[in-house]
């Protein structure tokens, strides 16, 4: 008897693409990475060296045209996420697309529309945005603890995405197409907020403030490197988000869900592993440097579960609508950040 | 040779008054608690039992009239803080007044005015508002580390005051005269913010949101039991405050000062002492239940240093103007919390 | 181009065998689990359900006779470890054998002898005992930190293996064939001691004491459920081992390497993941319950690296001699534990 | 009404003497430091500067002859502890003597004998050895938790005294008269062991090993700078002690009491205060440097409670017999450390 495997194509082989490719290729028993595509010559060379038996394309459309695939993992530049997802949807393929689906709300919504229409003819088709934290063991345990009701109703949600300080200067260039700090960083916290507080909670107000402390170039592109947001819901809950690009010790993504009779917290004491050193400076532990270190296992779980979901036709763990809603909230916060306006929403019309 | 001692009178013998009285009476070598006053009969009885050799008055003014004092510690009900401080200032006495000086900004400013006028005739007179955290060893070390410049400019200030959940119901009654959660709780964080970010930083905007989760009675008195604030400064810094009345495990006052090249944090892992228990529930530590547990040593240091300051005519560690400014900011946040308005301030006119 | 894969057979499908089988089958890209064997009918059934495409045998020798394999992973009962390893060595197969190779020193040494003879005709043959902690990321980082010399010479080695308290009573039955607590538990700490202090350090003395606190049945089989050992080396180093079967919160394996100018510690604050809960009992985290939770990644790394090592003919990470030496030390400690004797060793004759 | 105060004389003004003098003088309301004595001119000068109103003597006996005292605190050189205690006992004075009472067992036992005889004529006389950890809030809470029985019978006691590495070289000179590392350091752990496991538990065996790693001069005076001991009791309990003079980060005194259904631990994560710094080296906290930092509050509590005990004629918190027994055990461990012998004790004759 042989294992049924999902025939996967991968678009984009940057940092995240490489990681997904290796996770699918070597750690996902039921996936078969058939082909990859990247417009970048070095990335193609990397694939030829590292991904034994996988065909390599410079052009995404050519890969789609020539290969007989079942699923596409999209990890290309954000600018082409939506277009590539649409092409794959049209072919009836399952799609796992890196976040965000787009930095443009209308474009993201167009993808949702296309997916909905496609479902009529391909009822088992799976399209999902890759929000890795939902696959992290700690976040999952936190979710179960909150959902158990043991600690009462969750009332206050506090979450931060804190990236390692990068003093190389290359960051500003990347930021240009990122959609801004709330779309690039906090969208993970927004996704978690929707998960923990309930996808249906309606937002009453939101606002954000921020500064440019270590990347002055961000001023010119309407972005900030440190920002704080507050969000108010109609059902009596509040949220507080913090994002920063200047965390000196490493990646520190933390979340607190404060319920009426207890609170559940994730990663309030960041640590890379179980090592601690005591020397003349005191007692010291190191932190994960990047999200890819902190969420290494979550990335593996993500592609494995997506593979299972396609093969078994089981429900998607995250709805595409929720991911688009996270984008809308992220864009609204970015608007507030740059305009200084507090955004007030009518309960009935609240789209956020 | 005998020790020169400061003759102190104490007004108010509630929870804080009792603590200050004992700290001054038994742990402050250079202070001599000569007299205490309280309108409450039980409190007077407590004083007669516990404070050997101290005269006890039911009436504050009578104490002032009959006793030859040098300093007054005011720990009475907030409503009389300002009046009692003014009476003591008039007599040329040093005053250590529990926070807040008043919940009314004008009244607090009147005290500052009176003190300034009194200084002309009593140049060595000391009047200070008791912000205990400035006397805490951890906050002081954090301050020194930030001030050293080793971690670069402080850019983001995050601080929370989290009180133990009290389900007895008596809390709402107390809250009526507290000035609201931002004046009662967050004023400590505001004071720390002014200390760490610089007393002269001008505020550009502030806003707050909140909910009433465990004390529904707060709705009727224009207050909340959980609130979040953001504050923006003209010099490129931001602050984030969180206050809650429903922390299930105990008192959790935490502060992070995030600088450009490092961050300094206070009490991110609350613990009552050095004990940890491992049993079938996991690994567990207990937390201090009240601010009086967490800041026990700070309260002692506070009265000891105030005593030294009066006897040695050394500079006050906290200026009265700064404390009034903290009150003004707290009131503005409380206004934003209840109105939903974001308060924008002109750089020149900014009084906050 | 296709991936070159190592054809592996697995002997034994108990708790560890199942885990190794799944790790090799689904998470080790370059291994191909061809066949498994187990005398236990339920385990065979499990294999038929879970290991798609793998042939299942009730008899180890039959598997060896019928299959064309390259490597054997032995995870059967300890009593047959040596015999099965010898059979595989004779066929020229690579072997990864669960610890201990045997509880009998002479038998273990016979395996080493057979391997050495076999190497003359199969110079690339790899035979290794599975000491999982050497593949744990934290222990590896600790090793690098110590080896860097930054903290000076390692002088004191302290290590503990603490198993979750099992009140079911089944444990005593298992213990009968385990070789005793120092061979079953502490052998990991002994292996680490040899790694961190140097494989060539000669032992001057060793002794152990212990008690039977929660498993009285251990008395009858010459074992204890809590024991402490001290070991003295001729080169001026000392070690302290602690092992227990009654840790209430979970698995707590900790190690400290105390060097002249600093110390490196592993897992002094056990934690299952990044979650912490604060409720009326205090602040609480959960611990891994079993070694299989704590060392989940190490087990995966172990089979992956062993696979690489066989395919690439790279040096083995642990020598078989070292593993037999660990066994000899474990047996000597068990002897001291039961006899109460301190074992003194001559520097020249020291076999330990 | 005036406060009844205990008239105290202090012998010795070294590091501990100064601390005790200040604690009694400025932080112990019911104690009156009447006089101090020290053979050291600089220490006498310090007393004249710092202890207002206190008479200063160069000679202990002269102080005893001239002053009308009620209690003596002895913090002089260990060599004169016993003699000075005996003189004070003869005068019927209460005595708090720094540990150890003596490094000579017979001399210590002579003090116990003298105290017992003196009690016939001075039934309220209090003589106690100063084991500060019994006054530490964390150890007290740990004791209550163990004594509650919630975690079952305590079976394994592990404790360490780890002193900051001192590279100045002055240490060896001090060590000459210290009685050895087990009498100087571990005596605290031994005292805790007797407290936690029961003063009446009889020792079956004990042994110790050690090395000289950073203070080679210790070899010549029959001492070690790192040592490990194991102790076995007749009632089915075991203990493990570790002491070191080379802890690079500071003072790390830790204790674990492992009971059948849980364990209680003290100071497994040493920290000076509530501050943590995150920078490019990772997350870091500082440790207390000296026992005087870690046990600052315990020292204050100790003299305050001793004062109360004398004034109120309440029972002593630690019996003198227990302290002598701790010394006997410490000496026996030091003997084992230097001789390499395991000491076996008969249940009936066990004096330890």
């Amino acid at each position: 008897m042989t294992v049924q495997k999902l025939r996967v194509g991968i678009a984009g082989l940057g940092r995240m693409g490489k990681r997904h490719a290796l996770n699918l290729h070597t750690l996902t028993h039921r996936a078969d990475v058939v082909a990859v595509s990247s417009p970048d010559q070095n990335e193609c060379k990397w694939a030829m060296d590292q991904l034994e038996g996988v065909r390599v394309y410079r052009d995404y459309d050519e890969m789609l045209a020539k290969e007989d695939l079942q699923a596409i993992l999209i990890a290309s530049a954000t600018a082409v996420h939506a277009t590539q997802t649409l092409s794959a949807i049209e072919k009836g393929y399952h799609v796992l697309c890196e976040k965000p689906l787009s930095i443009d709300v209308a474009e993201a919504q167009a993808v949702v529309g296309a997916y909905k229409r496609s479902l009529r003819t391909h009822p088992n088709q799976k399209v999902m945005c890759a929000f890795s934290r939902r696959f992290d063991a700690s976040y999952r345990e936190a979710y179960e603890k909150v959902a158990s009701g043991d600690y009462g109703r969750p009332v206050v949600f506090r979450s931060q995405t804190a990236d390692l300080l990068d003093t190389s200067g290359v960051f500003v260039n990347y930021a240009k197409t990122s959609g801004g700090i709330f779309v690039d960083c906090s969208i993970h916290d927004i996704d978690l907020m929707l998960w923990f507080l309930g996808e249906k909670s309606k937002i009453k107000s939101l606002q954000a403030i921020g500064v440019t402390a270590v990347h002055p170039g961000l001023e010119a592109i309407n972005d900030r490197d440190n920002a704080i947001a507050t969000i108010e819901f109609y059902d009596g809950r509040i949220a507080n988000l913090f994002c920063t690009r200047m965390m000196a010790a490493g990646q520190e993504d933390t979340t607190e869900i404060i319920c009426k009779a207890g609170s559940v917290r994730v990663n309030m004491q960041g640590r890379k592993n179980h090592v601690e050193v005591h020397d003349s400076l005191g007692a010291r532990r190191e932190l994960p440097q990047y999200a890819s270190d902190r969420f290494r296992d979550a990335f593996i779980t993500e592609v494995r579960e997506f593979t299972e979901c396609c093969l078994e036709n089981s429900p998607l763990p995250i709805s595409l609508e929720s991911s688009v809603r996270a984008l809308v909230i992220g864009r609204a916060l970015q608007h507030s950040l740059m305009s200084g306006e507090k955004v007030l929403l009518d309960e009935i019309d609240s789209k956020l």
Side-chain angles (χ1 to χ4, degrees), chain A:
Chain A
M1 192 179 92
T2 54
V3 181
Q4 189 204 354
K5 293 194 177 192
L6 187 74
R7 296 189 308 279
V8 183
I10 295 172
L13 292 167
R15 199 170 46 81
M16 279 309 301
K18 285 193 182 81
R19 175 169 290 265
H20 283 311
L22 288 173
N23 286 346
L24 275 167
H25 192 55
T26 70
L27 294 169
T28 308
H29 186 52
R30 302 189 67 186
D32 203 356
V33 180
V34 171
V36 297
S37 77
S38 167
D40 182 287
Q41 195 163 1
N42 288 327
E43 292 177 9
C44 288
K45 190 173 175 318
W46 175 89
M48 284 183 282
D49 290 348
Q50 301 293 321
L51 305 175
E52 281 184 303
V54 173
R55 283 177 293 276
V56 181
Y57 293 84
R58 289 291 287 274
D59 185 68
Y60 174 74
D61 295 321
E62 191 188 344
M63 176 174 78
L64 250 59
K66 291 196 177 161
E67 295 289 343
D68 176 27
L69 303 167
Q70 292 171 286
I72 301 285
L73 187 154
I74 295 171
S76 44
T78 299
V80 297
H81 281 182
T83 322
Q84 291 186 340
T85 301
L86 285 169
S87 304
I89 287 174
E90 268 171 45
K91 295 208 67 162
Y93 290 172
H94 307 297
V95 183
L96 178 63
C97 181
E98 258 309 311
K99 64 96 207 165
L101 210 46
S102 167
I103 60 169
D104 181 77
V105 170
E107 192 179 48
Q109 281 164 339
V111 175
V112 176
Y115 176 38
K116 280 188 179 164
R117 285 189 300 275
S118 182
L119 276 173
R120 291 179 210 150
T121 46
H122 304 85
N124 298 345
Q125 193 178 17
K126 309 292 175 192
V127 179
M128 188 175 90
C129 200
F131 278 106
S132 47
R133 294 188 201 174
R134 295 225 196 183
F135 300 89
D136 176 65
S138 294
Y139 276 110
R140 285 182 165 189
E141 183 172 313
Y143 185 82
E144 280 163 30
K145 284 187 190 297
V146 171
S148 75
D150 290 351
Y151 308 103
R153 186 176 197 248
V155 171
V156 181
F157 179 86
R158 307 187 79 204
S159 199
Q160 82 178 31
T161 293
D163 282 354
L164 178 68
L165 173 63
D166 164 29
T167 53
S168 73
V170 301
F171 172 72
V172 174
N173 208 39
Y174 161 78
K176 280 175 192 161
T177 56
S178 73
I181 194 166
F182 279 112
V183 172
D184 194 43
C185 287
S186 298
I187 200 158
H188 285 294
D189 304 292
I190 297 166
D191 172 59
L192 292 172
M193 177 182 77
L194 295 175
W195 192 29
F196 277 93
L197 297 191
E199 306 276 0
K200 294 190 176 163
S201 290
K202 285 190 177 170
I203 289 174
K204 188 175 174 182
S205 81
L206 57 79
Q207 70 81 39
I209 60 172
V211 292
T212 309
V214 288
H215 298 300
L218 292 175
E219 294 280 347
I221 57 170
N222 279 329
D223 206 358
R224 300 288 179 260
D225 52 23
N226 282 272
I228 304 167
T230 58
I231 301 169
E232 199 180 9
F233 290 85
Y234 271 103
D235 58 4
R237 307 177 201 243
I238 49 178
N240 190 182
L241 310 180
F242 171 50
C243 45
T244 177
R245 304 280 192 192
M246 62 173 210
M247 206 49 99
Q251 173 78 13
E252 295 195 56
D253 295 348
T254 67
T255 301
E256 293 171 80
I257 306 99
I258 305 173
C259 307
K260 283 187 170 189
S263 60
V264 180
R265 302 162 188 214
V266 179
N267 198 37
M268 299 299 283
Q269 277 269 307
R271 59 185 62 229
K272 188 173 99 182
N273 54 27
H274 297 280
V275 177
E276 192 175 62
V277 170
H278 287 218
D279 63 11
S280 59
L281 294 173
R284 188 166 82 236
R285 64 184 192 277
E286 292 172 22
L287 271 68
Q289 296 299 286
Y290 304 103
S292 52
D293 303 328
R294 165 64 182 89
F295 295 106
R296 195 180 67 90
D297 284 355
F299 289 132
I300 297 169
T301 303
E302 185 177 55
V303 295
R304 289 169 65 96
E305 292 196 2
F306 181 75
T307 300
E308 289 293 316
C309 175
C310 296
L311 288 171
E312 305 295 339
N313 188 25
S314 47
L316 280 167
I318 314 170
S319 80
L320 204 58
E321 286 84 353
S322 168
S323 299
V324 173
R325 192 177 173 215
L327 171 67
V328 174
I329 296 170
R331 293 295 293 181
L333 285 172
Q334 193 73 16
H335 168 79
S336 176
L337 175 66
M338 300 314 301
S339 68
E341 286 169 25
K342 180 167 181 174
V343 179
L344 299 173
L345 292 150
D346 185 281
E347 187 163 8
I348 293 155
D349 291 338
S350 168
K351 288 188 196 132
L352 303 183

